[in-house]
């Protein structure tokens, strides 16, 4: 029986002997390709070579490529663990021709490697089926005449099955696939005698040969590539299942040791309970994906690839808990992944310590959050279930699982309302994704529209609180003033405004026409560079002079908006000031610069908190002064030292 290491090596050696350069896998983080979240096929690293934008010193290559399909065009996350062959992380074996050989060589080689007992894997030909693109007479002919595949084993398929594209744009072309008959016992639907092509699970695609011929642009238009090329991809996990005589990829040597380790930690027997088995498979799959993603530099975060990693990690932890594992564990399984795979992917050797530290940290911080969230979710399920019962008159069968969580086994549909879902997210850190994931097997749905609405409301509340500073009850005199006038704010561009006119004066809350030296007075101008306290930023200070003279007529100690549209300068008069006078208004510019820097720092801090703790972090208040800033925010737990 071939081990997966031998299968990989046989593939690479086969093409090395046929003048291919064996190229190391590229990183899971695509270099300079914004169309991709993760590397999802062996051809990604050759995209520009296919397009004729880049030249290499070889025209034939072969590789074993690390791939992740979670998020983006090819996304298998939800299926993982529930089928025998979906994975987030997998290895794709491929051979490539960059305008060198084409179908007439690629097809016979693929057949030889799959079927020849001498030079390849020796898989019996009578277990194999072949598909070609509907219009591809040429490939059909090669399979029949050059290779000798019987006519009734060749099937023509349309775009959906036999036209491959890396993403919405980029290189693409018709393809031809080799499928393997796993036998009726592999049918997920219990088919005893279905014929190819049936997608019940019995027939498995082993190898996809893409005849790269076009580049598709944003408009969907396809232009021919400089030269027709070859891109093939064979999933190592599936080949291993076939060659190791297993119905499920999870029973191969790539997964089984990881599953067994998880089962040991959970003190359960793999194969004894369906739901637990699903969990153990998810753990094994996600441990592989996390190990490889982190070793390629992805860190858990709340956006982009980091978010997908976090989701994968948290799903694995959730399933660990469900299968009965206590405490941190995933980092241990990840350690095994690294040990087991570092011969094929030497980069794992250097990364192994970081991988385990990152996973362990994420496990520790998520543990408390998760148990609080699940407790709260239980009460929400009970409420939603009893509402469903009173609405329909039909009883629900609510069952408490061994881990204390509730599951709905039968009864009317139960939906967690949007507000409750939002609270679970906002207060308990349970994201909508994970909540829906829980619902998918625990028998409830989530009101997504209601969730979005609650999210929008929250945003508006946060925005309104920014304007809080303006909302002190305004005196009727100010309201009257605001009806007739408006202070123009010039402080975005200047610190000094000449010829500002005094519109009004207030002493002890009452309007006056003039204020004598020494009086505390609020001065309202038609134009001012002074920033009025708002959004946490405190008001400017400075002074007024007579136009064209250095003589101070008033010292300004604060600036605020008593009512929308009007700026009041709190000042002490040095000379007599009168309504109608012209003044030059000058801000203390150095102090203002300090305030500006702290205001910028506030936004940076807010962004950093969202990145580190999560996007649920909302500003709850702030103070921006020249010498310090304060930032109040919401979060469901205390912030640990490392995050700080
Ligand atoms: N790019 C093709 C695939 O991913 C063949 O390698 O299936």
């Amino acid at each position: 029986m071939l081990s997966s290491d031998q299968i990989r090596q046989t593939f690479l050696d086969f093409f090395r002997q046929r003048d291919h350069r064996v190229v190391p896998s590229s990183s899971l983080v695509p270099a300079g390709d914004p169309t991709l979240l993760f590397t999802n096929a062996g051809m990604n690293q050759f995209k520009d070579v296919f397009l004729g934008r880049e030249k290499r010193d070889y025209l034939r290559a072969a590789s074993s490529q690390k791939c992740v399909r979670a998020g983006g065009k090819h996304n298998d996350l939800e299926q993982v663990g529930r089928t025998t062959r979906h994975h987030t992380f997998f290895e794709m074996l491929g051979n490539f021709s960059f305008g060198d050989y084409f179908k007439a060589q690629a097809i016979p080689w693929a057949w030889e490697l799959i079927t020849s007992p001498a030079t390849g894997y020796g898989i019996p030909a009578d277990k194999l089926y072949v598909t070609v693109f509907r219009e591809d007479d040429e490939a059909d002919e090669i399979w029949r005449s050059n290779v000798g595949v019987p006519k009734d084993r060749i099937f023509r398929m349309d775009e959906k099955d036999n036209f491959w594209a890396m993403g919405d744009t980029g290189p693409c072309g018709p393809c031809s696939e080799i499928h393997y008959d796993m036998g009726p016992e592999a049918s997920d639907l219990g088919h005893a005698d279905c014929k190819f092509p049936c997608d019940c699970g019995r027939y498995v695609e082993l190898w996809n040969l893409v005849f790269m011929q076009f580049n598709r642009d944003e408009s969907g238009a396809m232009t021919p590539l400089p030269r027709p090329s070859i891109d093939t991809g064979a999933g190592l996990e599936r080949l291993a299942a076939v060659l190791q005589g297993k119905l499920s990829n999870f029973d191969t040597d790539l997964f089984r040791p990881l599953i067994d380790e998880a089962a040991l930690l959970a003190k359960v027997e793999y194969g004894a309970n369906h739901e637990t088995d699903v969990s153990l498979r998810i753990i094994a799959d996600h441990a592989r994906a996390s190990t490889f993603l982190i070793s390629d530099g992805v860190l858990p975060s709340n956006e982009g690839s980091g978010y997908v990693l976090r989701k994968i990690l948290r799903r694995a932890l959730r399933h660990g808990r469900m299968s009965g594992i206590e405490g941190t564990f995933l980092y241990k399984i990840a350690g095994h992944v690294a040990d087991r795979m570092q011969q094929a992917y030497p980069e794992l050797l250097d990364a192994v310590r970081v991988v385990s530290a990152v996973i362990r940290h994420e496990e520790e911080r998520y543990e408390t959050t998760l148990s609080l969230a699940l407790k709260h979710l239980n009460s929400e399920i009970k409420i939603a279930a009893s509402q469903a019962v009173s609405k329909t008159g039909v009883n629900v069968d609510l069952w408490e699982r061994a881990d204390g969580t509730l599951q709905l086994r039968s009864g009317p549909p139960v939906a967690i309302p949007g507000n409750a879902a939002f609270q679970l997210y906002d207060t308990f850190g349970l994201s909508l994704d994970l909540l829906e994931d829980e619902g998918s097997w625990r028998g409830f749905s989530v009101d997504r529209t209601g969730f979005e609405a609650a999210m929008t409301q929250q945003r508006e509340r946060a925005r309104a609180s920014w304007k809080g500073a303006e909302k002190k009850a305004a005196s009727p005199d100010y309201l009257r003033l605001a009806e007739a006038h408006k202070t123009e704010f010039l402080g975005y561009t200047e610190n000094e405004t000449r010829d500002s006119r005094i519109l009004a004066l207030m002493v002890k809350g009452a309007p006056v026409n003039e204020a004598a030296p020494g009086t505390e007075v609020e001065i309202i101008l038609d134009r001012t560079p002074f920033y009025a306290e708002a959004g946490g930023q405190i008001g400017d200070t400075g002074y007024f002079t007579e136009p064209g003279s250095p003589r101070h007529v008033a010292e300004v100690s604060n600036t605020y908006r008593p009512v929308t549209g009007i700026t009041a300068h709190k000042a002490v008069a040095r000379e007599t000031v009168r309504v109608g006078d012209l003044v030059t208004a000058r801000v203390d510019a150095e102090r203002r610069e300090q305030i500006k820097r702290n205001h910028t720092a506030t936004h940076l801090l807010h962004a950093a908190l969202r990145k580190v703790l999560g996007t649920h972090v909302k500003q709850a208040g702030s103070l921006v002064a020249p010498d310090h800033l304060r930032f109040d925010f919401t979060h469901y737990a205390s912030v640990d030292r490392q995050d700080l």
Side-chain angles (χ1 to χ4, degrees):
M1 188 177 83
L2 286 181
S3 70
S4 49
D5 286 331
Q6 289 167 322
I7 298 170
R8 195 189 294 109
Q9 202 55 51
T10 302
F11 187 97
L12 298 175
D13 289 344
F14 181 90
F15 286 103
R16 196 196 318 269
Q17 285 148 13
R18 285 156 187 78
D19 298 324
H20 288 63
R21 174 79 58 88
V22 174
V23 177
S25 171
S26 63
S27 166
L28 281 169
V29 181
D33 188 343
T35 67
L36 276 184
L37 196 56
F38 299 117
T39 299
N40 65 8
M43 53 72 64
N44 292 170
Q45 65 167 318
F46 304 116
K47 181 179 171 184
D48 283 343
V49 189
F50 285 120
L51 295 176
R53 292 183 194 147
E54 190 193 326
K55 285 253 165 325
R56 303 260 170 113
D57 59 357
Y58 47 85
L59 292 175
R60 299 173 177 192
S63 69
S64 167
Q65 174 67 48
K66 303 177 275 190
C67 298
V68 163
R69 290 188 178 174
K73 179 176 180 340
H74 301 278
N75 183 3
D76 294 335
L77 186 61
E78 315 302 328
Q79 257 96 284
V80 171
R82 303 193 182 275
T83 71
T84 51
R85 59 195 145 262
H86 281 95
H87 309 295
T88 51
F89 170 86
F90 64 97
E91 294 171 73
M92 190 181 278
L93 304 168
N95 59 296
F96 308 90
S97 149
F98 311 114
D100 186 37
Y101 63 86
F102 201 44
K103 297 177 196 179
Q105 228 157 346
I107 291 174
W109 273 340
W111 190 256
E112 181 189 343
L113 177 52
I114 289 288
T115 59
S116 162
T119 51
Y121 300 127
I123 297 174
D126 63 4
K127 292 244 189 256
L128 300 172
Y129 291 84
V130 161
T131 63
V132 296
F133 182 53
R134 196 182 46 216
E135 286 141 37
D136 197 347
D137 297 334
E138 189 189 357
D140 194 316
E141 172 65 21
I142 297 169
W143 281 115
R144 270 189 294 128
S145 309
N146 304 20
V147 174
V149 175
K151 201 168 156 25
D152 63 354
R153 287 291 174 122
I154 303 172
F155 290 75
R156 299 238 181 173
M157 311 286 245
D158 59 17
E159 279 89 350
K160 187 171 78 56
D161 292 301
N162 279 53
F163 194 95
W164 198 86
M166 169 184 142
D168 295 332
T169 62
C172 54
C175 59
S176 181
E177 296 170 350
I178 303 176
H179 293 251
Y180 178 80
D181 179 3
M182 293 278 220
E185 54 284 15
S187 170
D188 298 329
L189 304 175
H191 293 175
D193 191 23
C194 59
K195 301 279 174 276
F196 184 84
C198 177
D199 50 18
C200 69
R202 169 171 175 172
Y203 302 98
V204 183
E205 174 198 329
L206 280 189
W207 202 345
N208 183 15
L209 317 180
V210 183
F211 311 127
M212 285 291 190
Q213 272 168 288
F214 306 103
N215 180 22
R216 188 155 61 188
D217 67 19
E218 283 80 8
S219 73
M222 296 202 291
T223 41
L225 293 180
R227 283 192 294 170
S229 295
I230 292 293
D231 152 33
T232 84
L236 174 66
E237 298 73 12
R238 292 177 180 191
L239 268 178
V242 170
L243 293 170
Q244 295 173 6
K246 309 291 182 194
L247 289 183
S248 163
N249 295 358
F250 288 100
D251 288 328
T252 65
D253 63 346
L254 289 163
F255 287 92
R256 196 51 201 264
L258 306 174
I259 291 176
D260 288 342
E261 194 193 351
L264 203 65
L265 292 169
K267 305 190 185 71
V268 295
E269 190 93 35
Y270 181 57
N273 172 295
H274 174 71
E275 278 305 323
T276 308
D277 291 349
V278 171
S279 290
L280 295 172
R281 290 193 287 265
I282 290 178
I283 292 167
D285 173 277
H286 289 10
R288 281 164 37 101
S290 318
T291 305
F292 278 95
L293 283 170
I294 297 169
S295 98
D296 276 343
V298 182
L299 287 176
S301 78
N302 288 300
E303 56 202 3
S305 52
Y307 179 68
V308 178
L309 170 61
R310 174 161 281 167
K311 194 155 112 176
I312 289 174
L313 284 169
R314 290 185 168 186
R315 278 181 104 231
L317 303 179
R318 175 71 185 104
H319 283 278
R321 188 66 86 74
M322 252 150 64
S323 57
I325 304 179
E326 279 160 26
T328 55
F329 69 97
L330 193 64
Y331 76 99
K332 295 181 197 154
I333 301 180
H336 278 223
V337 175
D339 282 347
R340 169 85 190 68
M341 303 291 271
Q342 59 188 233
Q343 212 187 328
Y345 302 95
E347 63 271 27
L348 288 173
L349 191 66
D350 297 331
V352 64
R353 284 188 43 208
V354 176
V355 169
S356 117
V358 168
I359 295 182
R360 196 167 178 172
H361 177 63
E362 187 77 6
E363 290 194 83
E364 280 162 0
R365 54 181 272 173
Y366 191 53
E367 216 186 341
T368 355
T369 308
L370 181 65
S371 42
L372 285 177
L374 291 177
K375 240 196 217 137
H376 190 77
L377 175 57
N378 267 358
S379 28
E380 292 299 344
I381 293 175
K382 278 190 204 145
I383 297 170
S386 74
Q387 276 165 356
V389 171
S390 51
K391 215 167 101 188
T392 60
V394 183
N395 249 336
V396 288
D397 177 6
L398 208 56
W399 168 59
E400 187 173 324
R401 302 166 45 87
D403 67 358
T405 58
L406 293 175
Q407 185 162 354
L408 294 145
R409 278 201 289 209
S410 61
V414 171
I416 303 291
N419 274 332
F422 182 72
Q423 203 201 359
L424 278 161
Y425 160 71
D426 197 41
T427 316
F428 297 93
L430 190 68
S431 71
L432 184 60
D433 284 330
L434 287 174
L435 182 59
E436 286 182 330
D437 199 38
E438 292 289 318
S440 69
W441 58 270
R442 284 217 253 155
F444 61 84
S445 64
V446 182
D447 173 10
R448 195 169 244 272
T449 322
F451 177 92
E452 314 274 340
M455 175 88 115
T456 311
Q457 267 174 20
Q458 158 92 318
R459 265 195 216 113
E460 273 156 16
R461 271 199 303 276
R463 211 172 289 140
S465 74
W466 272 84
K467 298 183 179 153
E470 287 178 25
K471 291 216 174 117
K472 278 173 232 141
S475 82
D477 296 303
Y478 274 129
L479 287 169
R480 248 189 314 268
L481 191 68
E483 279 168 24
H485 301 282
K486 193 171 157 27
T487 309
E488 190 185 352
F489 176 61
L490 299 169
Y492 286 124
T493 52
E494 48 216 71
N495 291 323
E496 180 185 307
T497 310
R498 286 156 205 273
D499 299 336
S500 288
R501 188 172 297 282
I502 298 180
L503 294 177
L505 296 168
M506 294 276 205
V507 174
K508 298 202 171 85
V512 294
N513 277 326
E514 61 175 60
T519 316
E520 281 187 21
V521 58
E522 292 191 5
I523 305 174
I524 294 88
L525 302 179
D526 60 349
R527 313 182 307 136
T528 184
F530 283 70
Y531 182 83
E533 175 189 345
Q537 177 166 332
I538 67 174
D540 278 339
T541 61
Y543 55 88
F544 298 167
T545 62
E546 285 173 5
S549 142
R551 275 168 77 100
H552 288 199
V553 296
E555 308 290 345
V556 178
S557 62
N558 197 6
T559 310
Y560 80 107
R561 257 182 244 147
V563 55
T564 308
I566 295 293
T567 301
H569 306 78
K570 291 193 182 212
V572 176
R574 292 284 170 238
E575 304 279 335
T576 302
V577 288
R578 293 179 192 81
V579 173
D581 279 356
L582 288 179
V583 294
T584 291
R586 190 188 289 253
V587 171
D588 179 340
E590 195 178 306
R591 178 175 177 276
R592 160 76 86 73
E593 287 305 311
Q594 289 170 342
I595 295 173
K596 275 162 72 174
R597 284 192 283 271
N598 276 336
H599 197 153
T600 301
T602 308
H603 287 279
L604 294 175
L605 177 60
H606 190 186
L609 287 167
R610 285 170 60 92
K611 212 165 179 171
V612 175
L613 302 177
T615 47
H616 61 277
V617 168
K618 303 278 171 342
Q619 171 158 10
S622 87
L623 174 71
V624 183
D627 56 344
H628 74 288
L629 65 90
R630 198 195 70 224
F631 187 82
D632 307 332
F633 63 95
T634 54
H635 180 49
Y636 46 78
S638 61
V639 182
D640 68 37
R641 282 186 68 85
Q642 191 159 347
D643 285 339
L644 268 187

